[in-house]
Amino acid sequence: MLLYVTLGLLVHFVFFASIFDIYFTSPLVHGMTPQFTPLPPPAKRLVLFVADGLRADKLFELDEDGNSRAPFLRNVIMNEGSWGISHTRVPTESRPGHVAMIAGFYEDVSAVAKGWKENPVEFDSLLNETRYTWSWGSPDILTMFAKDDLGNHIFRHTYDASSEDFGAHDVTKLDTWVFDHVKEFFHAARNNQSLFSKVNEDKIVFFLHLLGIDTNGHAHRPSSREYSDNIKLVDKELKELESTIKDFYGNDGKTAFIFTSDHGMTDWGSHGAGHPLETCTPFIAWGAGIRLPQKVSAQKFDDLYLQEWKLENWKRRDINQADIAPLMAALIGVPFPLNSVGIIPVDILNTSDLFKAESMFTNAVQILEQFKVKMTQKKEATLPFLFTPFKLLSDTKQANLLRKARYYIKQKKYDEAASLCQQLINLALRGLSYYHTYDRFFLAFNVVLGFVGWTSYASLLIIKSHCNLMRGVSTEVKNPSRLLPGTFVAIGVSVAFFLLIQACPWTYYIYCLLPLPIWYAVLREMPVIQGFVTLLSTFPPRRLLGSLSLFILGVEVLVLSFFHRYMLTAGLVAFAAWPFITPLWTRAKSISLSWIIFCLLLAVFPLMPVVGRQPDIFLVVGAGFLVLLLSLFVVTSVIKRKDSFINEELVLHLLQMLSTVSSMCVVYGTHNSLLRKQGLPLLNQIVSWMILASSFIMPLLSPPFLFDRLFSILLSSMSTYLLLSTGYEALFPLVLSCLMFVWIHMEQETLQQSVVSCKQKVSTIQFTCNTDGAQCRDLCLDDVRRAFFLSPALAGGFFTTSSTAPCWAYHMSTLYCFIYNYILTTRNAPIIIPDTLYTCAVVRVAFRKLSLCTFFLMVVVFFSKLKYLFKCYRRPRHHLFFFQADFNPLCSYVPNLCGFSILITTLLTNGIGSIVFEFLGLCGAVSV
């Protein structure tokens, strides 16, 4: 057992870590030479306004009276500058968005390990290249770009992080603080000779980060009056500040202004995924070096925004968010950020054609530098005969394109030169992606090889040790041959030598060598494999094919549910039909009918909206009343059933009912307090955390009988779940629990009619941790079906009331009873509760007297099939978990969530004493 646990822990850790080496490695390289446009820039200074969380449509559209919410900026669009939509990428969060705008590259994927809060790899930015930069705004954003500056040229002015409070009476103070301090700064500069000389230098940037709109969007949603009023406030302050800056510099015409946003926001007030409302942000530029408005008669875009915004006659110039960095660099004449992959939008520049061509040429050389460094790094780490270069951009082609572009510039053929530079940039970007993913197939192949081997070995363990399928089949093991271990040792030495001469990272050795002992263990069980194949051949082909088809269909539906939530509805409807194909319908019609009703009720939840809906506290309170009614009914029935009611048990039930009432009061009170903009009451916050803490302790004090313990777990879980709910999802655990109790009775009926002797009543079953393997029964085919049922049940608990991007599915309002600022690290907490409830139903009943490790090995094997099938489903990037068309991180997350739910279940049902044993067994089981 210890060997299995050790191997399981090792494989589990390696498979989880491989995600970061295969998919989440940093694309950043170092060693490039700074590049800048070798001509005088059009501007001496640049003012960058970033309205955090501002949607493009909310800024550009007219209100119900036909008036603009931002009249100053609309006047800029029509009379002074250029405008368009800046297209962001997922994750649509503040830090990645600012990195794209100021550093010119999209999210460094290795930052996922730090929750997108900071970049683990050093990078260059526009602010690093300036002579001086002054910035005002949120400490989270400004600190990031002044991280390594010792105060020499990047100066930041931030408010306290505690000011970022969603419950504040007026969060527009975050923006007024910024504008007031900027005005004070310019006023002070007139009376400070040292500061005056600095702000009159060239190559300087003023960066204003405006957080109020984002905060109002989270707290009140983008359709609210608060969100619109905040836009009006920013527009008014922008007008005043522009006048202040122009007056300070004597209207010298050397100031460029850029107004944009880091990300948008859904109607529900969330962001992070790839909905157009999140990825479409406004972009407005005016001042020195910016092209004036251009009136047109018609424009072709895939959307209908121009007609909706009444801007169809003003030329719209869309850009990618990373293009802002090279644009700003060209405007003030500083080197392009070294890691930038943005392409300068030359059609926005109001400069000479020569300047535009030189800027494009500089942009091409800067990106080509990254390509060369990346290619050199990969070439040096690969054997010459194995290295496959990016054929579309050879050294000869690079030289030819650069030489030809320079020739066109000398011949004043600026359009041809810009076109060649654009071609070179596109090829270099493709080459960067090619070398960044150069080892991906090699690593993925080895990890999948180990993954398949471990899954096979787990299946063999079930068949060999915990299944009666092998009885009567000869599994006599002959004397082991030295050929098999010798072969694997030789392969291992060859692989290690191959990696050594290529100077591969140490993690590559683990990924490549770990599959060898796993497959060696699999091949040692060849007699078991042969016996199992022989046994399968004795089954009727029609029955075997039918069972296999049902299994494949079920797994396919489960895979599709990760992309389309309504597939969970289809699966639950199919579950509802289960009694009709078994004798249960004739033996236990009332239980079967209850199963059908609750399956169909549960099937409604995946069809409900998860984004864009308004909170409905009355549904949450209503769910609490249903729990109280159920509690009263249960308490009354228990009193009638028992001759004497234990005082401790009565007190426990009353305390849990009181906890539910407290949750209802806290939810209702917090909601009303936030509506009045009075913030989160301290008493409500304390009570919420007390309820959360007690929910893990209360079930341990309940009697160890099945019904009492499960009901106690339900009451404790519902108290916490109510605090985390904002609407219909509060009803979900209640319906799920009813289905759970029905399933217990149905499985009890099945066990009583099977070969397993199980005449014990459900009410007398106890939760006991049985560690004696001799008392565990063998596996039967019904157990396979139960494990198959549990797999989609866990996925259903994960997705039924959330979206396919679980990190952002639950809105921040789900945590308003606990915390009311940007410290959000537990947004997925509600997901664990349904999985824990469902798992409690089967750990000690449906799989009673069955090895718990065996059961979860089966569940994990089912989840293993999902890993392979996810590779076959590709979707556009905006549908996905982070940014790649791959759900591999999610594949590992769900089994881990399964394991975590099981550990909670073990603690709640058996107490603390058994947690160590269960932990060791489950770590070995939930290792894929």
Side-chain angles (χ1 to χ4, degrees), residues 411-432:
Q411 295 296 317
K412 299 183 179 181
K413 297 180 179 179
Y414 302 123
D415 291 339
E416 290 84 348
S419 178
L420 272 182
C421 292
Q422 181 71 54
Q423 180 185 352
L424 180 57
I425 289 173
N426 293 336
L427 289 174
L429 291 176
R430 290 176 62 185
L432 273 173

Side-chain angles (χ1 to χ4, degrees), residues 69-226:
R69 298 188 182 93
F72 169 71
L73 288 174
R74 194 170 184 90
N75 179 69
V76 169
I77 292 173
M78 295 180 176
N79 300 292
E80 298 184 39
S82 298
W83 77 284
I85 293 178
S86 171
H87 296 277
T88 70
R89 292 188 184 179
V90 287
T92 46
E93 298 283 353
S94 292
R95 197 195 67 84
H98 282 84
V99 168
M101 287 184 289
I102 299 176
F105 67 89
Y106 296 104
E107 181 55 64
D108 178 356
V109 294
S110 63
V112 66
K114 300 201 174 191
W116 312 118
K117 295 302 180 185
E118 64 174 294
N119 210 88
V121 181
E122 298 294 332
F123 66 92
D124 186 31
S125 73
L126 174 81
L127 306 188
N128 293 339
E129 305 293 349
T130 60
R131 193 182 306 276
Y132 295 108
T133 293
W134 288 271
S135 57
W136 296 265
S138 169
D140 296 334
I141 300 300
L142 303 191
T143 304
M144 174 176 56
F145 293 102
K147 184 177 180 181
D148 299 316
D149 185 75
L150 301 178
N152 295 327
H153 78 290
I154 300 179
F155 307 96
R156 55 190 176 91
H157 308 272
T158 64
Y159 39 73
D160 190 80
S162 61
S163 301
E164 302 171 2
D165 186 356
F166 297 134
H169 179 70
D170 183 14
V171 296
T172 58
K173 65 183 181 182
L174 299 175
D175 294 341
T176 55
W177 184 97
V178 171
F179 286 112
D180 290 344
H181 278 71
V182 176
K183 293 173 185 176
E184 292 174 7
F185 169 82
F186 281 103
H187 178 74
R190 294 182 183 274
N191 304 315
N192 186 321
Q193 186 58 39
S194 174
L195 180 59
F196 184 82
S197 62
K198 287 181 179 179
V199 297
N200 277 282
E201 296 277 2
D202 61 352
K203 299 179 174 61
I204 64 174
V205 168
F206 301 103
F207 171 35
L208 284 69
H209 176 243
L210 310 171
L211 187 61
I213 293 175
D214 183 72
T215 308
N216 264 319
H218 288 310
H220 306 289
R221 291 169 172 74
S223 59
S224 65
R225 179 178 56 84
E226 290 81 0

Side-chain angles (χ1 to χ4, degrees), residues 887-919:
F887 248 98
N888 285 278
L890 192 56
C891 295
S892 295
Y893 187 38
V894 173
N896 278 290
L897 182 73
C898 165
F900 186 64
S901 300
I902 305 312
L903 291 177
I904 295 178
T905 300
T906 305
L907 177 63
L908 295 178
T909 56
N910 296 325
I912 300 175
S914 65
I915 195 68
V916 176
F917 169 78
E918 300 288 1
F919 176 75

Side-chain angles (χ1 to χ4, degrees), residues 46-58:
L46 181 138
V47 185
L48 174 63
F49 303 95
V50 179
D52 203 307
L54 176 59
R55 279 170 36 172
D57 61 328
K58 293 300 179 181

Side-chain angles (χ1 to χ4, degrees), residues 606-618:
L607 301 177
M608 303 292 285
V610 293
V611 175
R613 59 185 174 87
Q614 295 296 322
D616 192 341
I617 300 302
F618 291 104

